[in-house]
């Protein structure tokens, strides 16, 4: 084999190796996009590079694998669904208190499923692995909850918070499909309002009282 042939062979091997490496990277990237959805783009925007964002997301997967997640029993699911329906009805008379109650109820459900509930960013990171579609809702709900605690949230903001909380709540219960990320709080919902107008988590249970009032029935004060 001549030196020229050796050089050509080495170049071919290097090209094949580069193509194989590119295919592996592309496959991993595609898997992360499919798993994290909108959280993938958010991580890329927040990190210094796409590679750093992907390392962060893989680290989330590793940490998530260390959790001991617990599926809800039918009794627990019914209990949470009934609590949510009662909460929605209370919104008419006590919107400020109801948003606080919704925050506590969702936090309790997150904890019972086996997710950490201490630091909010840590909580988001763990939830993003299996519930990425609803994290935009949850972030908005949390932000309104904090403004509510400072006395800065309007009734329409509070109604939006209930809608946002309901998206993650239903996702964790596994009782209702969720839509795309909603409009910002205080604006008229578009695609999300269409999703949120679907039956509430409790309406899939025959024992639930019919025709219950939902947050969308609440007039803006």
């Amino acid at each position: 084999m001549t030196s020229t042939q050796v050089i050509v062979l080495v170049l071919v091997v290097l090209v094949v190796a580069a193509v194989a490496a590119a295919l592996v990277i592309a496959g991993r990237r595609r898997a992360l996009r499919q798993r994290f959805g909108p959280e993938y783009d958010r991580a890329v925007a927040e990190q210094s590079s796409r590679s750093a964002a992907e390392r962060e997301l893989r680290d989330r997967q590793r940490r998530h694998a260390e959790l001991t997640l617990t599926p809800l029993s039918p009794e627990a699911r019914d209990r949470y669904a009934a609590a949510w329906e009662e909460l929605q009805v209370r919104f008419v008379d006590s919107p400020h208190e109801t948003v606080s109650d919704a925050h506590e109820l969702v936090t309790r459900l997150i904890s019972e499923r086996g997710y950490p509930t201490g630091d909010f960013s840590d909580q988001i990171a763990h939830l993003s692995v299996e519930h990425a579609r609803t994290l935009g809702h949850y972030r908005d709900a949390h932000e309104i909850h904090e403004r509510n605690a400072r006395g800065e949230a309007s009734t329409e903001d509070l109604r939006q918070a209930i809608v946002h909380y309901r998206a993650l709540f239903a996702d964790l219960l596994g009782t209702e499909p969720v839509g795309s990320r909603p409009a910002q709080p205080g604006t008229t919902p578009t695609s999300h309002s269409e999703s949120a107008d679907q039956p509430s988590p409790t309406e899939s249970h025959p024992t639930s009282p019919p025709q219950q009032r939902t947050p969308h029935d609440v007039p803006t004060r």
Side-chain angles (χ1 to χ4, degrees):
M1 182 178 293
T2 66
S3 59
T4 300
Q5 290 174 322
V6 171
I7 293 173
V8 171
L9 180 60
V10 170
L11 290 176
V12 169
V13 170
L14 290 176
V15 169
V16 170
V19 170
L23 290 175
V24 170
I25 293 173
R28 290 177 177 174
R29 181 164 296 167
R30 182 168 56 252
L32 287 173
R33 281 185 176 277
Q34 291 174 346
R35 169 55 70 93
F36 288 96
E39 282 297 302
Y40 179 92
D41 294 328
R42 187 183 185 95
V44 170
E46 291 178 346
Q47 296 292 331
S48 58
S49 67
R50 187 177 299 273
S51 296
E54 291 176 350
R55 284 195 300 271
E56 160 67 18
L57 295 177
R58 286 194 292 272
D59 183 62
R60 293 188 194 184
Q61 289 180 308
R62 179 189 59 77
R63 293 164 59 199
H64 181 271
E66 297 172 353
L67 298 176
T68 302
L69 299 181
T70 306
L72 294 175
S73 67
E75 294 77 14
R77 186 176 290 108
D78 287 343
R79 185 177 70 251
Y80 276 107
W84 183 265
E85 187 163 333
E86 179 185 348
L87 181 147
Q88 288 188 148
V89 173
R90 292 202 309 269
F91 182 89
V92 178
D93 297 319
S94 306
H96 294 276
E97 293 79 2
T98 301
V99 167
S100 296
D101 292 343
H103 174 79
E104 293 177 5
L105 181 62
V106 171
T107 301
R108 190 160 67 246
L109 175 57
I110 291 171
S111 177
E112 186 162 341
R113 286 297 313 277
Y115 290 100
T117 57
D119 181 72
F120 182 70
S121 61
D122 189 48
Q123 187 182 134
I124 286 288
H126 282 95
L127 286 169
S128 68
V129 178
E130 291 189 355
H131 303 282
R133 294 178 303 160
T134 49
L135 284 190
H137 294 273
Y138 190 39
R139 285 189 178 96
D140 285 347
H142 187 266
E143 190 271 334
I144 296 172
H145 166 69
E146 291 187 331
R147 284 197 284 122
N148 183 40
R150 299 193 299 267
E152 300 173 356
S154 68
T155 301
E156 174 60 17
D157 291 337
L158 300 175
R159 186 186 71 81
Q160 285 288 318
I162 295 296
V163 173
H164 291 314
Y165 273 128
R166 187 180 117 180
L168 178 64
F169 188 86
D171 196 15
L172 289 167
L173 283 186
T175 56
E176 180 182 82
V178 294
S180 58
R181 198 178 189 283
Q184 292 298 315
T187 64
T188 301
T190 54
S191 60
H192 176 68
S193 66
E194 296 171 1
S195 170
D197 285 336
Q198 298 298 318
S200 68
T202 57
E203 291 171 355
S204 61
H205 298 275
T207 57
S208 299
Q211 304 295 326
Q212 288 291 346
R213 186 185 296 264
T214 68
H216 288 286
D217 297 321
V218 180
T220 303
R221 295 178 178 176

